[in-house]
Amino acid sequence: MAVISTSDFRNGVKVMLDGDPAVIIENEFVKPGKGQAFNRVKLRNLKTGRVIERTFKSGETLEAADVADMEMQYLYNDGIEWHFMQSESFEQYTAGTNAVGDAKKWLKEQDVCMVTLYNGSPLSVTPPNSVVLKIVETDPGVRGDTSGGGGKPATLETGAVVRVPLFVQMEELIKVDTRTGEYISRVKE
Amino acid sequence: MSRSKTKAGWQPACDYAALRARAATLSRIRRFFDERGVLEVETPLLCQTAGTDPHLHPFTTHFRQPGQTDGVELYLQTSPEFAMKRLLASGCGSIYQICKAFRNGECGRHHNPEFTLLEWYRVGFGLDGLIAEIEALLGVLFDGKRDLAPARRVSYRHLFGQLAGVDPIHADLREFAECAKQHNLAEAPAICGEDRNIWLDLLFSHIVQPQMERGLAYFVYDYPACLPSLARKKPRDEAVVERVEVFLDGLELGNGFHELADAAEQERRFDDELAVRHQSGLPLPPKDQRLLDALSHGLPDCSGMALGLDRLLMLMTGAGDISQVLAFPVSRS
């Protein structure tokens, strides 16, 4: 397994930390003029999503994590697991609840997601930045209200609940930002 | 402030305001010392010896006499200190220098491997006189750029106790570990082991510095005797040395000493540092015999200070990264 030294620390480098894969999100070189050099690092645990702060003595090494991001098409959910397919190789991957996490409320069949593989199996799933989903439940709005002020909750076909403007109706398609969970616009079929 | 990432590689990393701030700072510093009768000097960047400090890694190169095929190893200086002390021993009086210094293995938001130092020595000054002069210089340089609150003078031990809650001189390693744990540094024992100096460096840089109040200079004095460098031992207190560090916005700006003048003591410190280098498998540069000879001849009683000018410019211009005050940081050199 490849070894990563503090001098190779960059944002995005993936390493093994306490037995879990983690990605470096911040790396600061700290050195007193007359003293020991350190690297103060922020890492995100790729299994739990937790951000960890950790200091290393400059020159220390960590094991590289066998982690790769791959674009995949979401196929279906069988009630227990989520199935994805790599579009070029047609290779299929199965992700459990932990790996899919919060992404599940944005997953629509055929959409292309980013699946992070760790030692060859899905570790996490990132949905597209925006998705188009159908509203399956919402209160009838006041006709003529186009201000968008206030809004109302709407349940989408995947089960996600987002706030939408009052004029948006049942059965309509809307575009949602998956990073913030916010309504972006109506979409004409 | 312009973002260096969006510029083409040949272009300067900093904007013109930073270039102008640098030029104005250089001329203001020269005026400051000229008015005080301090002589500007130049000493070699290319040196036959290097410091023995195990935490400084000099760049090395080879010098060939005309026609010679294999040359002798020379070092790019990590600090002009030794050469300037030789001048002082020769009787030149108070001197200052603005020069480049080079330190390998140092690169980051606050480090460029090549950087600009202002270093000066005041004959007849103790640390108090030196601190007063630094404060006056900072006042002149920040005038019209940024309002600084009155500086704080505080002993290393007091500040450490106040901000980290532990006594840096008397606490044992178990107490250091407890302090680290309380400050979310559970990894500290694995990093520092039994090395008291690394413990102090870690706790000070990770716990004390970040908690320093912004907008005023800190003059931290009376460093523990285990971090002596080239400072004198304090009379009547063997636990500390006459060393001062300047911080602003939690950033280390410079380091000063009431200079060690005892050649034998200096040679012992060289030997101690070389022993640490030997243990760590680091290169063993030759001891600077010319410095030792100069000290034996007699160094006048003096205090000296080195200030990092690039960091000073960062704090004057509000830059968050050293590359914002350099025309061409190492990545564009």
Side-chain angles (χ1 to χ4, degrees), chain B:
Chain B
M1 193 56 67
S2 56
R3 303 290 305 191
S4 52
K5 274 177 207 147
T6 58
K7 290 189 171 183
W10 65 266
Q11 289 177 308
C14 71
D15 56 23
Y16 296 131
L19 292 182
R20 281 192 291 270
R22 180 177 292 267
T25 299
L26 291 176
S27 85
R28 199 65 201 81
I29 290 170
R30 291 201 159 97
R31 189 148 29 109
F32 180 88
F33 286 110
D34 289 348
E35 282 166 6
R36 289 167 179 243
V38 182
L39 180 72
E40 179 166 13
V41 297
E42 283 189 0
T43 57
L45 302 184
L46 206 50
C47 303
Q48 293 185 27
T49 59
T52 49
D53 186 332
H55 299 299
L56 292 182
H57 308 291
F59 287 88
T60 57
T61 185
H62 283 86
F63 168 55
R64 296 189 312 275
Q65 296 286 351
Q68 210 178 21
T69 42
D70 27 282
V72 292
E73 190 159 68
L74 292 183
Y75 304 90
L76 289 180
Q77 66 155 359
T78 56
S79 142
E81 179 150 11
F82 294 173
M84 290 181 82
K85 283 184 174 167
R86 284 164 56 196
L87 280 176
L88 288 159
S90 79
C92 67
S94 295
I95 49 176
Y96 79 98
Q97 168 158 223
I98 298 170
C99 64
K100 288 294 183 82
F102 305 84
R103 295 181 183 179
N104 214 342
E106 300 191 10
C107 202
R109 205 154 66 80
H110 296 130
H111 296 81
N112 193 56
E114 168 184 352
F115 61 101
T116 305
L117 266 183
L118 162 64
E119 182 142 336
W120 79 97
Y121 292 86
R122 291 298 241 137
V123 174
F125 275 40
L127 270 196
D128 286 339
L130 186 69
I131 290 172
E133 188 158 83
I134 303 164
E135 200 176 356
L137 176 65
L138 291 180
V140 162
L141 295 180
F142 278 81
D143 183 36
K145 301 213 165 47
R146 223 186 122 180
D147 287 331
L148 298 182
R152 191 165 163 210
R153 297 170 193 218
V154 58
S155 77
Y156 183 90
R157 186 177 175 199
H158 183 82
L159 184 67
F160 211 110
Q162 188 186 32
L163 297 182
V166 69
D167 182 340
I169 314 271
H170 298 112
D172 58 25
L173 299 187
R174 195 186 45 76
E175 289 169 273
F176 283 162
E178 188 53 39
C179 164
K181 206 171 148 198
Q182 279 169 12
H183 290 87
N184 284 322
L185 281 169
E187 65 272 33
I191 299 175
C192 305
E194 307 277 302
D195 191 325
R196 200 173 174 88
N197 292 9
I198 300 185
W199 270 108
L200 292 177
D201 285 339
L202 180 80
L203 299 179
F204 195 87
S205 61
H206 284 62
I207 298 171
V208 178
Q209 271 178 254
Q211 292 186 77
M212 288 180 180
E213 217 179 299
R214 301 303 185 248
L216 69 148
Y218 280 66
F219 292 100
V220 183
Y221 58 83
D222 281 357
Y223 267 66
C226 62
L227 305 172
S229 273
L230 304 153
R232 286 191 194 204
K233 288 219 167 91
K234 193 168 181 173
R236 295 181 301 281
D237 189 352
E238 286 291 297
V240 298
V241 292
E242 293 191 80
R243 169 177 171 193
V244 62
E245 287 248 354
V246 191
F247 299 86
L248 179 54
D249 293 348
L251 184 62
E252 181 189 8
L253 269 183
N255 179 68
F257 305 126
H258 187 190
E259 301 294 344
L260 179 64
D262 178 339
E265 169 73 16
Q266 181 65 67
E267 187 159 18
R268 267 197 299 281
R269 292 192 196 174
F270 279 164
D271 289 334
D272 290 348
E273 290 186 335
L274 286 169
V276 173
R277 280 184 160 266
H278 182 68
Q279 268 176 7
S280 320
L282 292 168
L284 302 174
K287 284 186 271 192
D288 191 334
Q289 192 56 47
R290 292 190 175 98
L291 172 70
L292 294 174
D293 291 347
L295 296 183
S296 300
H297 171 78
L299 182 74
D301 186 44
C302 65
S303 290
M305 182 74 201
L307 279 182
L309 282 193
D310 309 295
R311 289 191 184 173
L312 200 60
L313 282 162
M314 286 176 70
L315 294 169
M316 284 163 61
T317 60
D321 193 302
I322 197 166
S323 67
Q324 292 172 321
V325 298
L326 297 170
F328 302 114
V330 69
S331 59
R332 280 166 191 250
S333 64

